[in-house]
């Protein structure tokens, strides 16, 4: 199982950035994919997730209305479109996968597979 993030970088406040996560080595369609982030000195937090079997999505309140998760099943790719970025969005972002029976929810549990992370820095 492999998850590889890309697309991180430096962006100004109010700008946009899209993170990509390439997934391989597992049955993509039955897994839940989540995006997490960890800022310096803070605990890792769940940002968004998408469950393929139930077609569900979830967004943390801190990103709701600004971030959008999407998938491309044909390419086994998951994306996180981030708009109206704020300095507090600065963090290392990780994509992760959770297999059955876990599903997309605000509890963000069951994630066994993780990518290496992508740095996102929002400058003011």
């Amino acid at each position: 199982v492999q998850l590889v993030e890309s697309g991180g970088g430096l962006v100004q406040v109010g700008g946009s950035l899209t993170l990509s996560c390439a997934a391989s080595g597992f049955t993509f369609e039955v897994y839940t994919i989540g995006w997490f982030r960890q800022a310096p000195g803070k605990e890792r937090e769940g940002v968004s997730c998408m469950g393929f079997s139930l077609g569900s999505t979830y967004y943390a309140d801190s990103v709701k209305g600004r971030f959008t998760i999407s998938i491309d099943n044909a390419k086994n790719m998951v994306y996180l479109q981030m708009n109206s970025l704020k300095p507090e969005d600065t963090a290392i972002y990780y994509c992760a996968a959770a297999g059955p029976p876990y599903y997309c929810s605000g509890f963000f549990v069951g994630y066994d597979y993780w990518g290496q992370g992508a740095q996102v820095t929002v400058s003011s």
Side-chain angles (χ1 to χ4, degrees):
V1 175
Q2 190 173 24
L3 297 167
V4 180
E5 301 96 338
S6 61
L10 175 65
V11 64
Q12 291 187 332
V13 170
S16 299
L17 208 58
T18 299
L19 298 178
S20 301
C21 175
S24 61
F26 60 96
T27 307
F28 198 56
E29 291 81 4
V30 301
Y31 271 67
T32 290
I33 299 294
W35 284 99
F36 296 75
R37 67 185 181 186
Q38 187 165 21
K42 294 187 177 181
E43 292 187 357
R44 185 176 61 199
E45 62 172 344
V47 173
S48 180
C49 59
M50 174 174 280
F52 306 130
S53 60
L54 298 178
S56 59
T57 58
Y58 178 88
Y59 296 95
D61 288 342
S62 58
V63 306
K64 199 173 295 181
R66 300 187 299 122
F67 289 13
T68 302
I69 189 171
S70 62
I71 66 165
D72 184 333
N73 274 320
K75 297 181 179 179
N76 277 16
M77 294 288 295
V78 184
Y79 305 98
L80 186 68
Q81 172 70 42
M82 305 183 292
N83 298 325
S84 302
L85 284 162
K86 306 174 181 180
E88 51 265 42
D89 294 319
T90 295
I92 299 175
Y93 284 72
Y94 301 89
C95 66
Y102 298 102
Y103 57 92
C104 174
S105 76
F107 294 105
F108 288 100
V109 295
Y111 291 86
D112 291 327
Y113 307 111
W114 294 82
Q116 83 287 355
Q119 176 70 49
V120 172
T121 303
V122 184
S123 65
S124 56

